[in-house]
Amino acid sequence: MTTDGPGPWWSRRRSRIRAQWPTRLPGIRFCARGTLTYRAHANIKADGTATARAAARLALDELGRGITQNHMPEQLTTAQESLTLAAAHWHTPKDTPGLWLKAHITLLLTEQDGNRAQRYQDALREVTLQLAQEYERRERFRHAVFDSPDATRIWWLDRHLDDLESLDWDLFKEKILPLVGAADDIQSKAERMAHTLLYVWEKLGDNPGQHARFTTTVRTVLDQMGWNDAPAWLTPGEPPAADSPVSVSDGREPPPVTEAGTAR
């Protein structure tokens, strides 16, 4: 818009305005009431007074709609102030050179549209409250049940107290436990390690050669890591480490054992 003067006062025209402009809520409109003042230069006047009035009204309609359609019905005051700032002073529309206009417009909501807007707000408030309550319920449930793996196990057990035969811990570990960060759960780590060792043991079977290769590999790793006090991997027929006085990481032969009371 430009803001040059509109010319002498006697060349200005006035028109009463009654219009309905949309709000941001579909189906609800602001009622616009007021006065439009305009002046057309020679190139528009040549087409007659009706043409100049139509051009001014269309320009004001475009201006008003562009403002009101960005406001909800309850933002009536804000829309009114924005419209006043945009239309109360002389200006020429960007796409209509030679036309000057200003307007004093009051925006209103009819009782019917006001009731519709209130029903919408009530419904929106109800939905928002339901969503907030559901979010709060989930958050409380998450903190109470999924805060730690032990709490989740107790919850799972409690759900099956009336029918313990239906208690499926495999399903729990597969579907439920991952939701509580089972990677940080000591018991889950131990279970995964136990499954891994069981897999290795089953793969080794009763083949002495397999056991020998695996034991050699384990000892090499323990030596490289400096973990010489680690228990040994038992081979078939080998007694438990508690029955042997020598650590498996020691490659020397065990010393002879004498009868008690014969040592000198």
Side-chain angles (χ1 to χ4, degrees), residues 13-76:
R13 298 289 183 268
R14 290 188 178 182
S15 176
R16 300 292 298 177
I17 295 297
R18 296 176 64 89
Q20 290 185 330
W21 292 332
T23 68
R24 205 171 74 189
L25 191 60
I28 298 180
R29 300 169 295 276
F30 290 124
C31 291
R33 303 287 186 270
T35 302
L36 168 66
T37 305
Y38 62 95
R39 180 182 185 274
H41 289 182
N43 57 337
I44 299 178
K45 281 183 178 180
D47 294 329
T49 303
T51 301
R53 181 172 62 249
R57 293 174 69 92
L58 286 175
L60 178 63
D61 188 74
E62 182 178 359
L63 175 64
R65 287 176 176 271
I67 292 174
T68 62
Q69 68 185 2
N70 294 321
H71 293 80
M72 295 293 288
E74 64 271 17
Q75 295 176 306
L76 173 63

Side-chain angles (χ1 to χ4, degrees), residues 73 90 130 258:
W90 285 107
Q130 291 176 359
T258 60

Side-chain angles (χ1 to χ4, degrees), residues 144-166:
V145 175
F146 295 100
D147 189 57
S148 69
D150 286 340
T152 310
R153 291 188 182 94
I154 293 173
W155 167 78
W156 185 252
L157 177 62
D158 182 68
R159 285 178 56 88
H160 298 83
L161 283 180
D162 296 334
D163 186 13
L164 291 178
E165 293 182 357
S166 65

